Amino acid sequence: MTVLRLPAAIYQVIRAHGEETYPHECCGALLGLSASDGWQVHDAVRAGNTRTDSAHNRYHIAPVELVKIQREASKRGLDIAGFYHSHPDHPAHWSATDLAEAHWIGCCYVITEVALGKAADTNSFLLAGLVEEDKRFECQSIVVEEQSIDRGGN
Ligand SMILES: [Zn+2]
């Protein structure tokens, strides 16, 4: 099983974002560096939920926003490690729609259940596979790191 390492501050930010947008979904991107066993996250970037038709159970990051996030990340020597979104009053497990709309193979997809406005479980799933046709989500363990991480060196 792969590992997603999240500094405690970022873990809190992701969960608080879901509480803030409740009963709608929140979404954003995770920036970090790949490690031999998974991802080390260095930052989280909020994104506007552009799904106005069904914002309570769908999320979407506009392509133009994603390009901007990616450009900012590479300026800082980071990659897009994955994405996060919330499930208002639904378990922190991926849906068929989540899988269909996930295209970043090798990246992690973090889901937080927000139950009655309070963040509950947070789980991460790695989008595994080689091509779009055989992509699948694999459970990933989340390690929340207490101390701040060193961003230097890269
Ligand atoms: Zn979802």
Side-chain angles (χ1 to χ4, degrees):
M1 190 154 73
T2 56
V3 176
L4 177 67
R5 292 194 175 78
L6 281 169
I10 293 172
Y11 182 73
Q12 293 308 331
V13 160
I14 290 170
R15 290 165 56 80
H17 192 189
E19 293 180 344
E20 197 184 298
T21 60
Y22 181 89
H24 297 303
E25 288 196 6
C26 70
C27 66
L30 298 170
L31 310 185
L33 295 170
S34 63
S36 54
D37 59 350
W39 286 95
Q40 169 71 61
V41 172
H42 289 247
D43 207 356
V45 182
R46 287 174 170 227
N49 191 339
T50 58
R51 290 292 295 245
T52 50
D53 55 333
S54 181
H56 62 285
N57 61 8
R58 294 291 170 84
Y59 77 100
H60 179 71
I61 300 175
V64 64
E65 196 173 11
L66 192 52
V67 168
K68 217 173 104 191
I69 291 169
Q70 201 169 19
R71 195 179 299 141
E72 288 301 315
S74 74
K75 265 189 211 163
R76 295 165 56 190
L78 299 172
D79 292 320
I80 289 183
F83 303 93
Y84 70 88
H85 71 284
S86 60
H87 278 180
D89 300 318
H90 277 283
H93 192 274
W94 56 272
S95 66
T97 307
D98 288 338
L99 180 60
E101 295 183 354
H103 305 296
W104 291 62
I105 289 173
C107 284
C108 50
Y109 287 76
V110 175
I111 300 172
T112 297
E113 172 188 0
V114 183
L116 300 172
K118 288 293 288 176
D121 293 339
T122 296
N123 293 318
S124 183
F125 304 93
L126 180 82
L127 187 64
L130 293 172
V131 291
E132 180 77 17
E133 289 67 36
D134 81 336
K135 69 182 181 181
R136 60 197 175 271
F137 277 129
E138 288 177 356
C139 286
Q140 194 172 40
S141 55
I142 295 179
V143 174
V144 178
E145 300 172 315
E146 290 307 322
Q147 78 274 35
S148 62
I149 50 167
D150 178 19
R151 289 170 190 234
N154 290 306

